């Protein structure tokens, strides 16, 4: 199976990168240079019409959207998501992944990229402040869930752990306090102790180093 992950450092392509490392998959990473608009070029749009990362190129064709990539990889590799034995259990797994992708990620984007939502310093500060407020109950929800076991699904690590860890990294890196979400903080530490996660973080860091060497690293935090 040939797998190529199109990724940008720090972006949500880290979720499949961590997943592929955890799976022990053989895959190639292709850096997408946002500042050069590589994700909006016709060849890329032919694979991912929305022009985003991540994109996973497979022998079956391109797979887009974190939810779909997670579910696709979980059919190819063991140990990435629980095996649902009923349609209801299957729907719950989709709901968990969609919670990250559709409910939490848009709030992360408003915290990290208010310049995509508003013009001018005051308007951007307002978008960011409102998104920080919106993140608080979501963070409590995630913290409560992670207080029930070591991982999202209890004893078994899954893609959901990669997803919430990426969210943790994005929000705490933007100043969201971890003080009131101790279970999530402990989860982040447990993630960072995993060799596969360390390999993924180091691959992501080398993408960042390439962008910096090329003068293409974003100036904003
Ligand atoms: N729902 C999409 C979200 C993808 C997304 O928003 N990716 C961001 C990076 S985290 C991106 O490519 N941004 C570049 C842009 O919008 O120009 C998914 O799960 O794959």
């Amino acid at each position: 199976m040939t797998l190529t992950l199109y990724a940008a450092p720090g972006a949500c392509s880290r979720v499949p990168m961590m997943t592929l490392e955890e799976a022990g998959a053989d895959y190639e990473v292709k850096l997408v240079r946002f500042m050069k608009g590589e994700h909006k070029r016709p060849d890329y749009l032919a694979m991912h019409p929305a022009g985003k990362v991540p994109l996973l190129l497979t022998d079956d064709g391109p797979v887009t959207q974190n939810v779909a990539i997670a579910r696709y990889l979980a059919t190819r590799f063991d140990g990435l998501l629980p095996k649902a034995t009923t349609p209801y259990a299957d729907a719950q797994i989709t709901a968990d992944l969609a919670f990250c992708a559709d409910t939490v990620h848009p709030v992360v984007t408003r915290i990290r990229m208010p310049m995509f939502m508003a013009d001018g310093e005051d308007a951007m500060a307002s978008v960011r402040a409102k998104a920080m407020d919106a993140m608080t109950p979501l963070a409590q929800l995630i913290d409560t869930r992670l207080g029930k076991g070591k991982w999202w699904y209890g004893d078994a690590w899954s893609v959901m752990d990669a997803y919430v860890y990426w969210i943790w990294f994005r929000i705490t890196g933007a100043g969201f306090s971890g003080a009131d979400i101790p279970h999530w903080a402990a989860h982040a530490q447990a993630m960072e102790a995993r060799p596969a996660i360390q390999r993924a973080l180091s691959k992501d860091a080398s993408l960042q180093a390439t962008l910096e060497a090329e003068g293409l690293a974003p100036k904003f935090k």
Side-chain angles (χ1 to χ4, degrees):
M1 188 184 355
T2 319
L3 293 170
T4 306
L5 177 66
Y6 288 75
C12 58
S13 45
R14 255 197 206 188
V15 179
M17 200 179 284
M18 289 186 269
T19 306
L20 286 158
E21 289 295 335
E22 287 283 347
D26 189 12
Y27 70 103
E28 191 193 340
V29 178
K30 284 223 162 101
L31 171 61
V32 178
R33 294 165 178 81
F34 285 159
M35 282 181 72
K36 283 179 97 175
E38 288 182 345
H39 55 318
K40 305 296 178 192
R41 290 185 183 162
D43 55 338
Y44 191 83
L45 292 174
M47 298 185 288
H48 194 330
K52 307 270 180 191
V53 297
L55 161 67
L56 184 69
L57 198 52
T58 77
D59 294 338
D60 296 318
V63 185
T64 66
Q65 300 296 330
N66 265 302
V67 177
I69 294 171
R71 300 228 69 161
Y72 179 85
L73 288 174
T75 65
R76 295 287 179 273
F77 299 94
D78 288 333
L80 298 182
L81 284 172
K83 296 264 177 262
T85 51
T86 64
Y88 185 74
D90 194 58
Q92 290 308 306
I93 294 167
T94 305
D96 287 340
L97 292 165
F99 165 71
C100 290
D102 302 338
T103 302
V104 187
H105 187 168
V107 181
V108 175
T109 305
R110 281 156 180 77
I111 291 172
R112 298 292 308 210
M113 305 290 181
M115 66 291 276
F116 287 179
M117 314 292 163
D119 291 320
E121 289 299 325
D122 289 352
M124 282 194 283
S126 169
V127 166
R128 191 169 176 279
K130 283 205 176 296
M132 285 288 211
D133 288 349
M135 185 56 71
T136 299
L138 298 173
Q140 285 301 334
L141 207 153
I142 293 169
D143 190 68
T144 300
R145 173 73 181 231
L146 295 175
K148 293 184 177 151
K150 184 169 185 191
W151 306 114
W152 185 268
Y153 292 116
D155 292 339
W157 186 93
S158 75
V159 181
M160 274 303 293
D161 296 293
Y163 222 151
V164 296
Y165 175 63
W166 173 74
I167 293 163
W168 168 270
F169 146 75
R170 292 304 268 170
I171 64 172
T172 56
F176 190 90
S177 170
D180 294 334
I181 41 176
H183 304 299
W184 200 358
H187 178 270
Q189 275 195 344
M191 284 291 288
E192 284 156 15
R194 291 175 77 89
I197 300 307
Q198 290 165 8
R199 286 195 301 275
L201 295 181
S202 138
K203 277 192 186 176
D204 211 49
S206 66
L207 299 183
Q208 177 66 18
T210 302
L211 285 188
E212 283 168 14
E214 294 175 352
L216 293 173
K219 297 273 185 295
F220 49 83
K221 285 252 343 147

